[in-house]
Amino acid sequence: MGRLAQTDGLTDVQDEILKTIHQYVEDKIIPVAQDLEHADEYPQDIVDGLKELGVFGLTIPEEYGGLGESLLTYALVVEEIARGWMSVSGVINTHFIVAYLLMQHGTEEQKQKYLPSMATGEVRGAFSMSEPGLGSDVSAVSTKATKTDDGYSITGQKMWLTNGASSTLVAVLCKTDEGSDSVYKNMTTFLVEKEAGFGETAQGVTIPGKIAKMGYKGVETTEMILEDHRISADQILGGTPGKGFFQMMDGVEVGRVNVAARACGLAIRGFELGVAYAQQRKTFGKQIADHQAVLFRIAEMATKVETIHTMMVRAARLKDTGKRMDVEAGMAKMLASEYANEVVEDSFRIHGGYGYSKEYEIERLMREVKFMLIGEGTSDIQKMIIGRSLLKDYKL
């Protein structure tokens, strides 16, 4: 590991976990990422290795078979994995959010039912809030859960499910008529069980196929069609309807830390590739790293990497204390995504024409890093969240 993006105050256990993941990334992910990404092939061997390392149960309490680690530990692990191949971090991200939702909001019966199998990776989680016409306006959710004699019937179309096919448990936000005047109290999160794969994966649940993307390949992104899907009231997250919006926003908050960590990983790798190439390529009789323009670019890239890593770590630590951190998570996500794009583009510029070739890793990073700008809310949405919260804190 280089001197950048180091984290003070970690325990010996955290240090050991990060060293293990770093070595796994070096040995098992980076050497195959290019070929798998270009083929848009699911990284099954890598995922199986992460299962063996206990990554799927990293934050799940020991009493449910997990490692019981903090959000900070998880974020630093994600940063390392994204440095190797961002898509792999996506494989565990939505799984982590569902496990987090269960830990924070699930009933004891739901925790006992799902968390031990999630810790081993046997049950894989996915997170479903978005819809084709939804965007960032969660109040416009149209997927409807209607009460029946023996539970609920869910009908609607969900969009942008990471791990939509490989998952077997999906946390789905639905509109329910609970009699409240507030639209936000008329939403409920359901725990929908299904089989892995495409097509009809459960009664009334269809995963049509993979959505073709410019980057973020390997991991599948899908739609989910629900047509009169019958589900019992026991599958309401937490057992009480009408709390779905607030549960999902809690999940999105930790998701923003996750995206910030992924952006940090991409920025670190972009810097590594750029500074290495700058010492290999020679022009006018010297390595291009000795040209002032390139040297300044390297200094700015490193400063941005250090800045966003520090902000991401602070947001994760705040969440671990249970303190309010909507501003910190929004700031970390916004700046990390923007700076990661700038660092990767600077590395691309250092590579010159070779950066445009698929033979070079930086070409893949250029496509992957764009997702950071929109995942878990755009920078504009983050600014709205940050601004509104600060106005409350500094109200005259």
Side-chain angles (χ1 to χ4, degrees), residues 167-366:
S167 61
T168 53
L169 180 68
V170 186
V172 182
L173 183 64
C174 301
K175 179 181 291 184
T176 47
D177 185 8
E178 305 301 337
S180 173
D181 293 335
S182 171
V183 64
Y184 300 106
K185 294 181 180 179
N186 279 322
M187 299 184 202
T188 300
T189 303
F190 287 88
L191 300 170
V192 175
E193 297 181 0
K194 69 178 191 64
E195 298 294 324
F198 294 99
E200 188 171 356
T201 56
Q203 177 273 319
V205 178
T206 301
I207 306 295
K210 291 169 64 174
I211 298 171
K213 311 183 294 288
M214 68 178 285
Y216 200 22
K217 296 180 182 290
V219 58
E220 79 279 358
T221 304
T222 74
E223 298 175 71
M224 182 171 69
I225 312 299
L226 299 117
E227 298 177 289
D228 190 25
H229 173 63
R230 298 305 180 105
I231 191 167
S232 74
D234 292 340
Q235 295 302 105
I236 293 174
L237 178 64
T240 304
K243 297 183 177 181
F245 174 80
F246 307 99
Q247 294 166 344
M248 285 288 186
M249 290 304 100
D250 190 19
V252 166
E253 200 168 81
V254 297
R256 286 181 179 135
V257 175
N258 176 282
V259 173
R262 285 201 259 179
C264 287
L266 282 165
I268 292 167
R269 188 58 179 166
F271 173 82
E272 290 174 345
L273 294 172
V275 76
Y277 187 80
Q279 296 172 82
Q280 296 163 0
R281 179 82 164 100
K282 292 185 177 181
T283 62
F284 305 102
K286 59 183 178 180
Q287 63 181 17
I288 63 173
D290 291 331
H291 294 290
Q292 189 179 67
V294 175
L295 195 62
F296 281 11
R297 198 181 292 276
I298 289 171
E300 290 172 358
M301 291 163 66
T303 302
K304 289 172 181 176
V305 167
E306 196 72 2
T307 299
I308 59 179
H309 173 82
T310 301
M311 291 187 71
M312 179 272 292
V313 167
R314 180 166 184 264
R317 280 183 161 146
L318 269 177
K319 189 68 173 177
D320 280 329
T321 66
K323 294 180 181 177
R324 173 185 170 194
M325 48 81 77
D326 54 339
V327 169
E328 289 77 11
M331 286 180 171
K333 191 277 170 185
M334 177 184 71
L335 201 64
S337 62
E338 296 290 347
Y339 273 8
N341 270 267
E342 292 174 14
V343 169
V344 170
E345 182 172 331
D346 279 341
S347 182
F348 174 78
R349 291 173 184 268
I350 289 172
H351 280 76
Y354 287 108
Y356 207 63
S357 167
K358 282 186 173 291
E359 294 182 20
Y360 283 74
E361 192 176 338
I362 192 64
E363 181 273 340
R364 168 170 61 84
L365 266 62
M366 278 290 288

